[in-house]
Amino acid sequence: MNTPEQKTVPSNFIRQIIDRDLATERYGGRVHTRFPPEPNGYLHIGHAKSICLNFGIARDYPGGRCNLRFDDTNPHKENEEFVRSIEADVRWLGFQWHDRPYFASDYFEQLYGFAMELVDKGLAYVCELSAEEIRGYRGTLTEPGRDSPYRNRPIAENRDLFQRMRAGEFPDGSKVLRAKIDMASPNINLRDPTLYRIRHGVIHHQTGAEWCIYPMYDFTHPLSDALESITHSICTLEFEDHRPFYDWVIEHCSVPSVPRQYEFARLNLQYTVVSKRKLTQLVEEGHVVGWDDPRMPTLAGLRRRGFTPAAIREFCDRIGVSKADNSVEMGVLESCIREDLDRTAPRAMAVLHPLKVVIEEYPEEQVEELAVANHPKASDLGSRIIPFCRELYIDRSDFEEIPPKGYKRLIPGGEVRLRNAYVITCQRVIKNEQGEIIELRCSYDPATLGANPEGRKVKGVIHWVSARHAINADVRLYDRLFRHPNPDGDRSVNSFLEHLNPDSLRVLSHCMVEPSLAHAQPGDRFQFEREGYFVVDLKESTPQRMVFNRSVTLRDSWGR
RNA sequence: UGGGGACUCGUCUAAUGGUAGGACAACGGACUCUGACUCCGUAUGUAGAGGUUCGAAUCCUCUGUCCCCAGCCA
């Protein structure tokens, strides 16, 4: 087994900023990040990039910390199931958060206090414009907005109204609290952004029915960061425009620390979508069978697909972190899981499209028990017994009556090595009335078990199972979920759903796997030799009916 | 046509005024009882035009292209 030498995590522009801050003692040597998911869906591979960045920094810097903080300010879309799945996925990925899970909702009382502070400073006001009116007053990208008629209310009146908003005196949508900044700002986020809205009758998963007003993200986030003494608040590029408001909040509220926001480019992965909204749509409309469908780029889906946490971490290291829009090829992810599983997965033989082979002169009653290594390089993975007898199955694609040029497998009258067993020669092809090949009659060379035949080279090696001993199992072959490299970026089409790949799942139910697999447990990973890496399905495999999911094919330089 | 960002091999990403490097992909070869793994080798890039400099991916000017922003979502 090749020992993985100490890998250094590649640096990036954010780590360089931290290095500088450390050198200048900006935060007294502290490095404290946070990962702030909204619990309104499952984590996906894009979140993994953020997790590896934030938790990775905490892991690599002396005294570094990273909080897991749920950004739970919109109870309408959030729930406890999502909270639990997010915690489980972060742990599964191999990271530990500092202290305990945090919730923005823990700070609702303090947030209310900060809002009142802004009111008292004349920097926030209660606005009674409707949502549509606010939009109208906001202006456009190229025209300045106009002041709300409620903008210059006396402070005492704002105080009173905001208190009564909290007390539940006003219906949803009737009033909001807004920051008083600049309706003519070229940055739309500074045109008196909303701080609080009224939401009656929703049960918040953490705070229950305690509140009927909820703070907005832009107000909540900088304050939560400050309250947790976060030093580097790392988010994605679309929040770059919000940073002036982030800094405004920090400047005008009496916060205990001064965090800074930095932005990096979110991950785009080809042939899939990495947007919670679209993933939610795939689940809710039934285009996949749940958040953990093995075709989904969610961590739960990748886990069921057989991906390892190490492979996903390696992927995040390889793609790096920058501010440039990117579109990462699937090949990078595939390479990571192949590299990990090649090293760690025991080998087994499984025939996906069985074709019967009878070794004619092999004794009818004889069964040989062949001892076979579980891994060609990692001897610590041990060995197993494989039964060999007169009737076998090989894969249909490993026999061709009219072989293409360069074909190395079995052909009429030709020889091939049965992996870990004998060299056989195809003597006869048996067909049914439709002319389909249903069986091969072969001879074998008894001198070729563990030895090469004399005087000739057998180039082809194919896998097989004993027809008498093999287990019938389901195998699920997964392919890319979309046929277009950038399904949600194609404007020539009405919906990204039009690019869905109808062949993203193929279920094979006649597969024959070697008997040693009978005791494999859900989540166990194998390389089915010459086919790919497979995992026993976590949810639907039973001892009576085993289900294997293909994680990824083997690299194939021949192209079947 | 407001504001904020970004442009380096096919893709991702380094180089922070001093030899444009790595990874994935591709291609060629070696090895092989997995057409895998491994090993060796090859090709491919600084968006464009000017300028500063002994020297520019890097600094300056202009141009172009792409992304984001007008939620009481995050």
Side-chain angles (χ1 to χ4, degrees):
Chain A
M1 182 162 222
N2 35 353
T3 44
E5 64 263 29
Q6 204 58 38
K7 268 204 76 171
T8 49
V9 179
S11 188
N12 55 58
F13 78 98
I14 291 179
R15 284 175 181 251
Q16 289 177 1
I17 288 167
I18 293 174
D19 291 340
R20 263 201 299 279
D21 289 344
L22 250 19
T24 59
E25 295 273 316
R26 183 162 171 178
Y27 299 102
R30 288 192 313 115
V31 178
H32 201 157
T33 59
R34 103 269 91 111
F35 172 63
E38 184 189 11
N40 67 344
Y42 277 60
L43 260 24
H44 55 66
I45 186 75
H47 291 111
K49 178 178 183 179
S50 175
I51 292 168
C52 290
L53 213 211
N54 281 293
F55 285 95
I57 286 167
R59 175 196 60 204
D60 296 338
Y61 285 88
R65 291 174 169 177
C66 180
N67 291 3
L68 171 62
R69 181 171 72 230
F70 291 97
D71 229 317
D72 55 348
T73 56
N74 187 5
H76 196 71
K77 294 178 161 183
E78 302 158 3
N79 67 49
E80 187 65 32
E81 179 201 346
F82 294 139
V83 170
R84 280 194 299 265
S85 74
I86 288 167
E87 290 177 355
D89 285 345
V90 171
R91 266 195 233 104
W92 177 76
L93 242 199
F95 293 102
Q96 289 176 311
W97 46 82
H98 168 63
D99 193 22
R100 61 176 172 91
Y102 290 75
F103 292 84
S105 55
D106 293 341
Y107 313 127
F108 279 174
E109 190 61 49
Q110 289 165 90
L111 262 22
Y112 178 82
F114 285 124
M116 200 53 100
E117 179 184 358
L118 292 178
V119 168
D120 287 340
K121 287 177 172 169
L123 293 173
Y125 62 99
V126 172
C127 182
E128 293 173 48
L129 255 22
S130 69
E132 304 79 70
E133 289 168 325
I134 287 182
R135 194 183 321 130
Y137 274 80
R138 185 149 37 226
T140 68
L141 294 179
T142 51
E143 304 155 24
R146 291 136 50 215
D147 286 0
S148 161
Y150 304 98
R151 197 172 199 263
N152 293 313
R153 258 204 243 269
I155 288 173
E157 194 177 320
N158 284 317
R159 262 194 91 83
D160 175 60
L161 256 15
F162 187 45
Q163 272 166 356
R164 289 162 64 193
M165 277 172 63
R166 177 180 183 172
E169 290 187 28
F170 311 116
D172 285 13
S174 61
K175 292 178 177 51
V176 292
L177 184 74
R178 290 225 259 168
K180 190 196 266 192
I181 307 181
D182 178 7
M183 287 307 291
S185 172
N187 181 346
I188 287 188
N189 298 291
L190 261 20
R191 319 239 263 231
D192 291 9
T194 300
L195 267 24
Y196 270 88
R197 73 280 214 191
I198 301 172
R199 288 282 178 276
H200 284 285
V202 276
I203 301 300
H204 188 284
H205 51 100
Q206 301 300 316
T207 61
E210 190 183 343
W211 292 86
C212 66
I213 57 172
Y214 288 95
M216 300 288 289
Y217 165 87
D218 279 330
F219 180 62
T220 306
H221 208 85
L223 295 171
S224 302
D225 285 341
L227 291 171
E228 293 174 15
S229 48
I230 300 302
T231 53
H232 303 265
S233 182
I234 304 164
C235 64
T236 44
L237 251 26
E238 66 271 25
F239 292 103
E240 216 156 7
D241 285 343
H242 298 229
R243 192 172 60 224
F245 183 61
Y246 184 103
D247 292 337
W248 184 93
V249 171
I250 293 296
E251 183 186 343
H252 294 290
C253 296
S254 306
V255 293
S257 78
V258 179
R260 295 293 159 118
Q261 175 182 296
Y262 300 92
E263 308 87 9
F264 71 99
R266 62 165 359 115
L267 167 70
N268 294 295
L269 226 206
Q270 295 182 3
Y271 295 100
T272 189
V273 290
V274 194
S275 127
K276 235 194 288 191
R277 214 204 100 240
K278 294 200 171 64
L279 294 176
T280 303
Q281 190 180 348
L282 290 174
V283 172
E284 288 181 349
E285 293 178 5
H287 300 105
V288 295
V289 304
W291 286 97
D292 64 350
D293 187 304
R295 293 168 292 185
M296 290 280 274
T298 51
L299 296 183
L302 290 165
R303 175 165 58 234
R304 240 184 113 188
R305 179 77 170 259
F307 277 70
T308 58
I312 294 172
R313 279 186 253 115
E314 170 66 17
F315 173 73
C316 293
D317 286 346
R318 286 194 197 179
I319 59 174
V321 177
S322 75
K323 296 190 71 156
D325 291 327
N326 59 81
S327 179
V328 177
E329 291 175 345
M330 253 321 163
V332 181
L333 222 206
E334 293 176 348
S335 165
C336 292
I337 187 61
R338 286 193 187 109
E339 179 185 274
D340 190 7
L341 262 21
D342 174 58
R343 224 179 54 235
T344 57
R347 313 282 122 127
M349 292 200 284
V351 173
L352 271 31
H353 306 93
L355 172 61
K356 186 101 174 256
V357 167
V358 176
I359 314 291
E360 290 187 304
E361 77 273 38
Y362 196 87
E364 180 78 45
E365 300 308 322
Q366 185 171 321
V367 176
E368 280 180 273
E369 298 200 323
L370 309 172
V372 170
N374 286 332
H375 194 284
K377 292 174 184 164
S379 53
D380 54 304
L381 258 32
S383 63
R384 66 194 187 282
I385 298 296
I386 297 180
F388 183 90
C389 69
R390 188 169 184 269
E391 288 106 37
L392 314 170
Y393 290 116
I394 66 169
D395 197 275
R396 299 202 86 91
S397 68
D398 286 334
F399 174 80
E400 292 288 347
E401 272 192 297
I402 305 148
K405 196 169 165 355
Y407 190 76
K408 297 205 306 200
R409 288 108 92 172
L410 195 58
I411 60 173
E415 269 189 321
V416 79
R417 156 77 63 185
L418 292 179
R419 173 80 166 149
N420 298 312
Y422 298 96
V423 170
I424 60 170
T425 303
C426 176
Q427 302 295 353
R428 267 189 309 139
V429 180
I430 298 177
K431 298 181 180 179
N432 63 13
E433 287 165 5
Q434 287 80 257
E436 299 160 344
I437 301 169
I438 54 169
E439 187 178 310
L440 265 22
R441 310 294 285 200
C442 297
S443 58
Y444 82 118
D445 182 343
T448 55
L449 184 61
N452 282 325
E454 308 244 331
R456 60 195 200 277
K457 262 249 246 343
V458 177
K459 274 212 298 264
V461 180
I462 64 174
H463 60 284
W464 56 277
V465 294
S466 159
R468 289 187 211 157
H469 305 85
I471 303 166
N472 183 208
D474 276 6
V475 170
R476 308 213 269 226
L477 304 181
Y478 295 100
D479 197 1
R480 47 182 63 146
L481 228 199
F482 292 91
R483 291 185 287 197
H484 191 281
N486 183 14
D488 57 352
D490 180 12
R491 283 194 273 262
S492 73
V493 109
N494 287 323
S495 162
F496 73 107
L497 297 171
E498 292 181 35
H499 290 304
L500 237 16
N501 176 9
D503 303 316
S504 58
L505 168 61
R506 269 176 69 208
V507 180
L508 308 179
S509 49
H510 303 293
C511 306
M512 305 301 289
V513 307
E514 63 167 77
S516 74
L517 257 10
H519 304 294
Q521 298 300 305
D524 284 354
R525 300 178 180 90
F526 299 91
Q527 184 199 98
F528 289 170
E529 294 203 48
R530 303 209 313 128
E531 291 288 356
Y533 295 97
F534 293 76
V535 63
V536 181
D537 189 74
L538 256 353
K539 277 177 115 171
E540 286 161 23
S541 187
T542 65
Q544 292 71 38
R545 186 69 189 175
M546 300 190 78
V547 178
F548 293 91
N549 298 334
R550 185 173 68 193
S551 310
V552 66
T553 61
L554 252 30
R555 264 186 84 222
D556 184 4
S557 57
W558 198 70
R560 321 197 224 174

